[in-house]
Amino acid sequence: MALKDAILPEFDHEMANTRKTLERVPEDKLSWKPHPKSGTMGWLATHVANLPSWATETLGKDTLDLAPDGVPQAPMAPAKSRQELLALFDKNVAAGRAAIAGASDEHFVKPWSLLSNGKTIMTMPRVAVLRGFVMNHVIHHRAQLGVYLRLNDVAVPALYGPSADEQGM
């Protein structure tokens, strides 16, 4: 079995669950945050919607420098509406899926590096980056977004089994 054939079902499943979560983000709570050190719901949801684009970064480039020439990359502006959020997510999922589907096993095992100001933070085979740095990252922040929803009395979707809000899956 080709690596892409092992990765794509998981990618599709996680992206479908992520879309279910993003569909629940209330537009009137985009500036809400649970703590002064936390990001806003709009920032977090936009980050989640953007993360699938990292699959194209991982497969399309050999490195990503978070602070080229010592200058941190500017954060993405938060989406202003649920429609904008979902459009960003859908575009990034489609591009990420196409990148995964088009990659060979040989390409999946080539090294990829995360840098900061030209210094290597980590280097892993691309397949490991897709699982750890891309998909697990999406799952992590999607879970945070679920807490944000719960704290705002928004029904949390059932993802891997029933949620307290959706018993009959």
Side-chain angles (χ1 to χ4, degrees), residues 18 20 40 66 71 74 80 113 116 128 130 149 158-160 164-165:
T18 301
K20 281 196 249 182
T40 65
L66 298 174
V71 179
K80 293 177 176 60
S113 296
S116 182
L130 283 172
L149 295 176
L159 302 178
Y160 301 113
D165 302 309

Side-chain angles (χ1 to χ4, degrees), residues 4-96:
K4 65 184 169 192
D5 295 329
I7 294 168
L8 282 171
E10 181 182 9
F11 182 83
D12 292 343
H13 178 76
E14 294 304 340
M15 295 309 114
N17 277 343
T18 301
R19 194 175 202 290
K20 281 196 249 182
T21 303
L22 290 171
E23 288 170 349
R24 308 263 173 120
V25 172
E27 290 184 335
D28 65 337
K29 299 287 186 175
L30 294 176
S31 62
W32 181 89
K33 57 185 181 175
H35 188 276
K37 292 181 182 178
S38 300
T40 65
M41 189 175 312
W43 173 85
L44 180 58
T46 301
H47 185 53
V48 170
N50 189 54
L51 284 172
S53 74
W54 292 11
T56 57
E57 289 287 323
T58 301
L59 293 167
K61 299 177 182 175
D62 292 331
T63 64
L64 172 62
D65 196 327
L66 298 174
D69 299 319
V71 179
Q73 292 183 0
M76 196 172 189
K80 293 177 176 60
S81 69
R82 186 181 309 112
Q83 180 181 356
E84 183 182 338
L85 191 64
L86 293 172
L88 174 66
F89 178 73
D90 291 343
K91 176 188 77 144
N92 289 332
V93 168

Side-chain angles (χ1 to χ4, degrees), residues 97-150:
R97 190 179 200 294
I100 294 167
S104 67
D105 283 1
E106 180 183 35
H107 192 66
F108 275 122
V109 298
K110 287 181 183 174
W112 182 90
S113 296
L114 180 66
L115 312 174
S116 182
N117 193 23
K119 294 181 181 143
T120 302
I121 297 171
M122 70 172 201
T123 299
M124 290 189 226
R126 284 175 164 86
V127 68
V129 174
L130 283 172
R131 283 284 291 117
F133 191 62
V134 180
M135 284 195 278
N136 289 354
H137 201 145
V138 169
I139 293 163
H140 163 72
H141 285 301
R142 181 182 73 209
Q144 286 181 311
L145 189 55
V147 172
Y148 279 39
L149 295 176
R150 170 69 69 232

